[in-house]
Amino acid sequence: MIQKVNRVTSLSGTVALPGDKSISHRYAMLAAIAEGASEIGHFASSRDCHSTLNCLRSLGIEISESGETVAIRGRGLRGLSTPDRMLDAGNSGTTIRLLSGILAGQPFTSSITGDESLSSRPMARIAHPLRQMGAAIESRERERPPLKIKGGNLKAIRYKLPVASAQVKSCVLLAGLYADGITAVEETVPTRDHTEIAVREFGGTVRNSGDWIEVDPDPKLRPRRLAVPGDLSGAAFFLVGAALVPGSILWIPAVGLNGRRRELLNYLMRSGLDITVENESVEAGEPRGDLRVCFSRELLQGKLPPIRGEETASLIDEIPVLSVLGAHAAGGLEISDAQELRVKESDRISAIAANLRAMGAEVAEKPDGLAISGGRPLRGADVATRGDHRIAMAFAIAGLSAGGETRIHDAECADVSFPGFWSALKKIC
Ligand code: S3P
């Protein structure tokens, strides 16, 4: 499907976000290994989170869905059953990497794979620690999926993360629930801590001890009734839209504002965007609040603060749309330390550079980032999304302030994280 986007005069209205993708995956997996019936409200409608639900069903878990509410009948830490087919994580890195941690703890052998994009993504980062814990893991060449995991009898390890990755951290912590002692992970760069928060909410024990995050084994996880906040990474597209289109005012209610994800707001505010956060609260350990964002002319007149170091890890999913913002800002934007973007759903550094250039921007590609010159008016173009949801949505936003028509190819890939994105966008244009 090709979605056409044209320049708009302003954006206004309310944006309804899907439930947070990262949190939904974690709640579903923990509910499945808790003892009894959980109910998760505002569960992400994203295709990725449905991949998680379908994998859990194949592991013998009863799940029913009614609108945005998902009921999961947990069977306890050791209640999963041997799947009779290969588990399919679809496009979802979070599904394959987190679930592999749980599968490594099972006394049976299972296999898990994904679509073409996921099958080309690196799994050595989870296979190494899981093997150290005693799981037998086979993969395709260069540690690509499918993964065949023979689990059980895991040893506790202390593991220093070689990459800044919440997925790897979470994989090891979830495997640690099945280990013979306290498993600990050290991260040199802080990443999203939804797993730590969620394990505690379901009754497990996760501690921060100096630089280490420790998880106790063999908890009796209790079922919960929880509501997932809106996805801040989905809000990012609309925040940047309001930053690009003069006169815009948007209201984005009930957004997840986890401290490790909130850097997006700090960054945009530091850049000069007028964002107010209202009605802040914390539910099940996850902060949330309502956002009001207004266009502010100064932002586009300057140079955006460079994105590098720890900040890159905090903004990793938002870099495609922040690059679009950088191309519009008079002084451009420099992004470094973002080599992880090369192994996301697509090589995002290359996809951003190619599509920005197609729209008339001047961009230099670096091994670990981009130097975007900025200040040139963009023109509509054919956007090759490479089937990557965040590339599709980021360039839809670029199209809102480009001259002429922008055509987003394979636009349905937005459903991977944000079903309803195209109608939400139409509603505020
Ligand atoms: C995620 C972690 C990040 C992020 C992804 C979701 C998670 O990936 O890019 O969209 O839910 O833990 P990495 O852990 O590979 O950085």
Side-chain angles (χ1 to χ4, degrees), residues 20-23 25-26 48 93-95 97-98 121 125 163-170 191-195 233 261 313 315-318 340-341 343-345 348 389-390:
D20 186 272
K21 188 158 81 72
S22 291
I23 297 176
H25 284 297
R26 286 151 171 89
D48 270 7
T94 310
T95 304
R97 295 202 177 111
L98 270 63
R121 295 179 65 187
R125 53 185 62 197
V163 276
S165 166
Q167 292 176 352
V168 178
K169 169 177 68 173
S170 303
T191 63
R192 62 192 72 190
D193 57 355
H194 302 302
T195 301
S233 300
R261 307 271 298 277
L315 295 173
I316 198 75
D317 288 343
E318 288 78 48
E340 274 295 302
L341 287 183
V343 290
K344 292 288 178 190
E345 287 83 332
R348 286 186 175 155
H389 55 127
R390 296 204 200 276

Side-chain angles (χ1 to χ4, degrees), residues 42 116 160 256 264 278 336 347 357 385:
H42 199 221
E116 201 186 323
K160 267 188 188 208
L264 171 70
E278 294 173 22
S336 315
D347 175 343
R357 283 190 197 119
T385 57

Side-chain angles (χ1 to χ4, degrees), residues 138-218:
E138 288 170 30
S139 64
R140 212 161 47 80
E141 75 282 6
R142 293 168 47 242
E143 303 276 29
R144 287 344 193 220
L147 301 178
K148 186 172 172 197
I149 302 174
K150 186 164 179 283
N153 300 321
L154 295 187
K155 294 190 290 284
I157 56 169
R158 292 179 74 77
Y159 190 70
K160 267 188 188 208
L161 290 175
V163 276
S165 166
Q167 292 176 352
V168 178
K169 169 177 68 173
S170 303
C171 170
V172 177
L173 292 175
L174 291 171
L177 299 174
Y178 295 89
D180 62 359
I182 297 169
T183 295
V185 178
E186 186 188 43
E187 47 180 4
T188 43
V189 177
T191 63
R192 62 192 72 190
D193 57 355
H194 302 302
T195 301
E196 296 90 305
I197 294 171
V199 169
R200 285 188 202 110
E201 284 301 315
F202 278 86
T205 303
V206 177
R207 283 175 303 275
N208 287 81
S209 166
D211 291 337
W212 291 86
I213 305 160
E214 298 179 341
V215 64
D216 284 356
D218 231 1

Side-chain angles (χ1 to χ4, degrees), residues 259-298:
R260 302 271 175 91
R261 307 271 298 277
R262 199 181 170 124
E263 185 50 31
L264 171 70
L265 298 186
N266 301 339
Y267 179 82
L268 288 172
M269 287 180 189
R270 261 195 294 132
S271 306
L273 189 61
D274 176 1
I275 302 176
T276 9
V277 184
E278 294 173 22
N279 304 318
E280 285 193 70
S281 64
V282 180
E283 254 183 72
E286 289 286 358
R288 53 198 83 196
D290 303 334
L291 304 181
R292 205 172 72 95
V293 56
C294 301
F295 175 79
S296 18
R297 192 160 300 280
E298 308 77 70

Side-chain angles (χ1 to χ4, degrees), residues 412-424:
E412 65 283 354
C413 65
D415 291 358
V416 162
S417 64
F418 199 149
F421 173 78
W422 298 107
S423 50

